[in-house]
Amino acid sequence: MAAFAAIVSFAACSKSKDLQDSSLTKDKTDLSSSRDSTKSAATVESYPNEVRASGSNFIWRINNVDQGSTSSLATALNNVIGTGNREVHILIGGTLGQQINLQPGLTLRCHNVSFKKGHTGNGFFRDGSGGIKIYDMILDNSTAGMGIRTSRASDIYIENVRIYGGGIGIRIDSHPSRPYEDGRWVKNIHIQDCRFENGSSHGLETYGVDGFKGYGIVARNMGECGVLLNKTINGTLGTVNAYRCSNGGGYAGLRLANDCSNVTTSMLIAEECGRGYFVLTGTNNCRLDNARITNGTGIGVWLENVVNCSVLAGCTNDGVAVTGSGSYANVSTNGCP
């Protein structure tokens, strides 16, 4: 994908616009109806470790044995997760009255059920060792706080998670309060096909990550960045698709800051964001292969005093500013066809 994007012509960029316009229009108006359900169920099937509904209660099952029943979905989830090292299937959605504590060696398969966070803390949280996988979750994060946060946890894989509202959608960091300090890193983080919408802060944020992959990231109407990478090295992003992220503000569809290094992004689509692609503060050797940045309220491509950072192709009608050794932006500034 990266190699392809690097040689895309402006005509191809026009084709990309045509393909994207219909999805952008739909994205602005058509939200999944599952968001509105406070209790939704997956197809009924029995798993060794699961949470399912029984009338108005929730049953948790471990090693093929039902362990108990509770009226609190959060209690059932935390009980079935236990100390981790198991695969858990969540077959029923509902309101979470407290934080869900992720544990090492946990695989959480949510079967596209919908959760609504009914408290102001983090929805799902881990501070410690990792080896955690999360699949197929819908989270209404309309209260304050983050949707998913992990600290000091390496080996994190999150796929097909949709988070609506709240503050930061997903934050991955190397320390809960001091990820910026030397020597603090988490490794092997993979975020795949995730969507963030109507939050007051960033969609996806990292801080202190060595070895990052992110593909198919969509952010809509976020108060700050669509994607923000801080102190993230040796990373690969596929497509970041951002609409009205930090509109009128100083953040961007995609922002790299605080000593990022060796991060390659295949494609950035940023429409009506504050800035499009914003790279600054000690960042070096980062490359964006192709950009389509339109109708923003700030600079479209801004590489601010960075080293060997580049944009290889694309277009913007929002201007370009580049400073720093070996840095350049080979984009059309006459608007996107």
Side-chain angles (χ1 to χ4, degrees):
M1 178 69 178
F4 168 76
I7 60 171
V8 166
S9 67
F10 297 132
C13 194
S14 175
K15 183 178 181 181
S16 173
K17 180 181 188 306
D18 294 337
L19 294 173
Q20 291 295 332
D21 279 347
S22 61
S23 64
L24 284 172
T25 302
K26 183 178 180 181
D27 286 333
K28 297 172 194 175
T29 59
D30 179 25
L31 306 183
S32 172
S33 61
S34 60
R35 287 176 48 199
D36 301 324
S37 172
T38 58
K39 186 176 289 188
S40 55
T43 302
V44 175
E45 184 175 349
S46 181
Y47 297 94
N49 308 298
E50 68 179 23
V51 170
R52 68 183 190 276
S54 178
S56 60
N57 285 343
F58 304 96
I59 307 294
W60 73 95
R61 181 178 180 86
I62 299 174
N63 295 330
N64 289 306
V65 177
D66 289 350
Q67 302 293 321
S69 175
T70 175
S71 61
S72 166
L73 177 57
T75 297
L77 291 181
N78 281 324
N79 285 345
V80 76
I81 290 169
T83 58
N85 295 308
R86 61 180 57 139
E87 180 172 286
V88 171
H89 292 258
I90 311 303
L91 305 179
I92 186 70
T95 298
L96 302 175
Q98 65 189 64
Q99 175 180 282
I100 304 305
N101 298 313
L102 303 172
Q103 298 293 343
L106 172 70
T107 296
L108 196 62
R109 296 190 181 274
C110 301
H111 295 270
N112 290 307
V113 299
S114 298
F115 301 118
K116 181 174 182 178
K117 186 157 70 68
H119 60 93
T120 57
N122 298 311
F124 294 78
F125 180 65
R126 174 63 183 165
D127 182 8
S129 56
I132 296 168
K133 299 177 181 179
I134 301 174
Y135 296 91
D136 306 323
M137 175 193 296
I138 302 168
L139 178 61
D140 180 347
N141 189 39
S142 54
T143 57
M146 303 182 195
I148 300 173
R149 184 180 182 184
T150 66
S151 294
R152 293 187 276 215
S154 293
D155 303 308
I156 302 294
Y157 186 97
I158 300 174
E159 181 177 342
N160 189 31
V161 167
R162 288 148 284 172
I163 299 178
Y164 301 92
I168 296 173
I170 296 176
R171 177 175 164 118
I172 310 290
D173 55 55
S174 59
H175 189 275
S177 60
R178 302 189 306 279
Y180 51 83
E181 290 183 349
D182 290 344
R184 295 192 185 277
W185 298 99
V186 292
K187 300 177 182 293
N188 191 25
I189 308 300
H190 189 138
I191 310 296
Q192 179 84 38
D193 298 330
C194 290
R195 180 185 182 96
F196 311 94
E197 189 162 341
N198 296 329
S200 63
S201 188
H202 314 300
L204 169 65
E205 181 182 17
T206 65
Y207 211 131
V209 174
D210 179 359
F212 174 78
K213 294 180 180 178
Y215 301 103
I217 308 300
V218 176
R220 295 285 179 269
N221 299 303
M222 299 301 294
E224 296 178 325
C225 291
V227 175
L228 169 57
L229 306 185
N230 293 301
K231 192 186 165 187
T232 295
I233 64 175
N234 303 318
T236 302
L237 280 167
T239 297
V240 174
N241 191 327
Y243 169 74
R244 292 188 68 87
C245 293
S246 191
N247 181 267
Y251 280 110
L254 173 58
R255 183 178 192 255
L256 279 62
N258 297 303
D259 304 304
C260 288
S261 180
N262 301 320
V263 175
T264 299
T265 305
S266 295
M267 179 72 184
L268 170 63
I269 301 165
E271 181 183 356
E272 297 183 27
C273 295
R275 291 161 180 161
Y277 184 53
F278 188 23
V279 184
L280 70 163
T281 320
T283 295
N284 64 88
N285 297 310
C286 292
R287 186 184 82 227
L288 171 60
D289 289 338
N290 200 358
R292 180 180 179 83
I293 300 168
T294 56
N295 303 319
T297 56
I299 298 173
V301 174
W302 191 355
L303 311 182
E304 184 183 20
N305 196 27
V306 292
V307 176
N308 295 330
C309 291
S310 59
V311 182
L312 300 186
C315 56
T316 180
N317 60 3
D318 300 326
V320 173
V322 178
T323 58
S325 174
S327 298
Y328 63 92
N330 184 29
V331 297
S332 167
T333 58
N334 296 322
C336 296

